[in-house]
Amino acid sequence: MERLGRYHATLEPGLRFTIPFVDCISARHDLREVPLDVPSQVCITKDNTQLQVDGILYFQVTDPKLATYGSSNYIVAITQLAQTTLRSVVGKLELDKTFEERDMINHAVVNALDEAAMNWGVKVLRYEIKDLTPPKEILHAMQAQITAEREKRALIAASEGRKQEQINIAMGQKEAAIAKSEGDKISDINQAQGEAAAILAKAEANAEAIRKIAMAIESQGGLQAVNLKVAEQYVAALANIAKTGNTIVVPQNLTDIASLVTAATSVLKGNK
């Protein structure tokens, strides 16, 4: 409220009285949070790419007196300051980073506006980027880049799959060869052990037979029985040789035959 053309007081909500022709209401302010649509503008990124940015600003009047007398139009002031700050922040970033750093851009704009708007009795609460629109050529290039990147990932995934397949096949063949060699080794060991056991058993049987023969020879009449057996085999062998061929084998010492026959006859007589 102004009195006689000068600021006099700030009227709070509710019933208030003024003096006619002396007091006048110079401005009315809404103290609630106000959304302000910031006009879309073209910003130049660090890599010299045009980028159209559209955003919305949320502010609140905290001091009606400063909002009235601190600036002729605080809405235009914060709108223009938001646009210039946004252009400055986007100009420090490359095109790809602007899509990733939206939160950082919002905080930078809010901090710059809040510091300047204190003299205007306005508190800037937040700023949100609604849309980032690059030129159509850039969009097509970005789409082609994304497609190429996805094809690259698909090729890499396929090659990794083939690589893993070859590794699995090689590992399987290796394990199969190891298992086969282990099986062959165990089979050879078992066969060798079986042959060794057979040889040992045969040797033990032969030794046992020899021991029994030796015991039989050492017993009474054993030696005579051996002589009789040898004489019979000797005579049978000579007979077989004579039957199978025209050659007659005559022993070099005929007395050996006589002695064998004599020994055999004596053994037979003794048995009788």
Side-chain angles (χ1 to χ4, degrees):
M1 184 184 68
E2 293 180 352
R3 177 166 294 177
L4 299 178
R6 297 185 62 181
Y7 172 77
H8 177 67
T10 299
L11 302 181
E12 298 294 335
L15 181 62
R16 296 291 182 267
F17 297 98
T18 59
I19 302 174
F21 305 107
V22 176
D23 298 332
C24 69
I25 303 301
S26 61
R28 289 180 172 85
H29 296 283
D30 190 348
L31 302 184
R32 296 174 297 178
E33 183 176 347
V34 179
L36 178 61
D37 190 8
V38 179
S40 177
Q41 62 175 336
V42 177
C43 301
I44 305 298
T45 60
K46 186 178 180 180
D47 49 358
N48 297 324
T49 303
Q50 293 184 354
L51 185 65
Q52 189 170 2
V53 184
D54 188 10
I56 186 169
L57 181 67
Y58 297 87
F59 70 94
Q60 185 178 14
V61 176
T62 57
D63 191 338
K65 179 182 178 182
L66 290 177
T68 303
Y69 299 103
S71 174
S72 60
N73 191 332
Y74 65 89
I75 294 179
V76 175
I78 60 177
T79 301
Q80 294 297 323
L81 184 58
Q83 289 181 320
T84 56
T85 304
L86 183 62
R87 286 196 296 268
S88 177
V89 174
V90 172
K92 298 177 182 179
L93 300 174
E94 295 181 354
L95 179 62
D96 294 338
K97 290 294 183 181
T98 56
F99 297 97
E100 301 174 2
E101 302 292 340
R102 299 183 70 161
D103 291 338
M104 186 273 292
I105 297 174
N106 295 337
H107 287 299
V109 173
V110 169
N111 293 334
L113 288 176
D114 194 38
E115 183 178 356
M118 293 177 60
N119 297 327
W120 306 331
V122 176
K123 172 68 175 176
V124 178
L125 301 176
R126 59 187 178 276
Y127 178 82
E128 297 292 339
I129 295 177
K130 293 193 298 183
D131 193 15
L132 293 173
T133 307
K136 293 182 179 180
E137 295 79 6
I138 301 298
L139 285 176
H140 293 161
M142 293 174 64
Q143 186 64 36
Q145 181 180 2
I146 293 173
T147 303
E149 185 67 24
R150 290 179 178 175
E151 291 178 352
K152 175 184 175 182
R153 293 179 182 177
L155 292 175
I156 292 175
S159 63
E160 289 291 336
R162 289 192 296 269
K163 175 184 175 182
Q164 190 63 39
E165 179 185 3
Q166 295 298 325
I167 292 174
N168 293 338
I169 293 174
M171 292 296 294
Q173 294 176 350
K174 176 183 176 182
E175 293 177 359
I178 293 174
K180 185 177 183 301
S181 63
E182 290 291 336
D184 294 340
K185 175 183 176 182
I186 295 174
S187 177
D188 293 341
I189 291 173
N190 292 337
Q191 184 177 359
Q193 290 178 349
E195 293 176 355
I199 293 172
L200 181 60
K202 185 176 181 180
E204 290 178 352
N206 291 332
E208 184 65 22
I210 292 172
R211 281 194 298 268
K212 289 183 178 181
I213 292 172
M215 292 176 63
I217 292 173
E218 291 177 357
S219 64
Q220 186 178 359
L223 184 58
Q224 290 82 359
V226 171
N227 290 333
L228 177 60
K229 186 68 175 176
V230 171
E232 290 177 352
Q233 292 179 355
Y234 186 75
V235 174
L238 290 177
N240 290 331
I241 293 175
K243 289 179 181 180
T244 56
N246 297 326
T247 303
I248 299 175
V249 179
V250 179
Q252 182 178 2
N253 190 358
L254 295 177
T255 58
D256 292 339
I257 300 177
S259 61
L260 288 174
V261 172
T262 303
T265 303
S266 63
V267 171
L268 291 173
K269 290 180 178 181
N271 290 335
K272 290 179 180 180

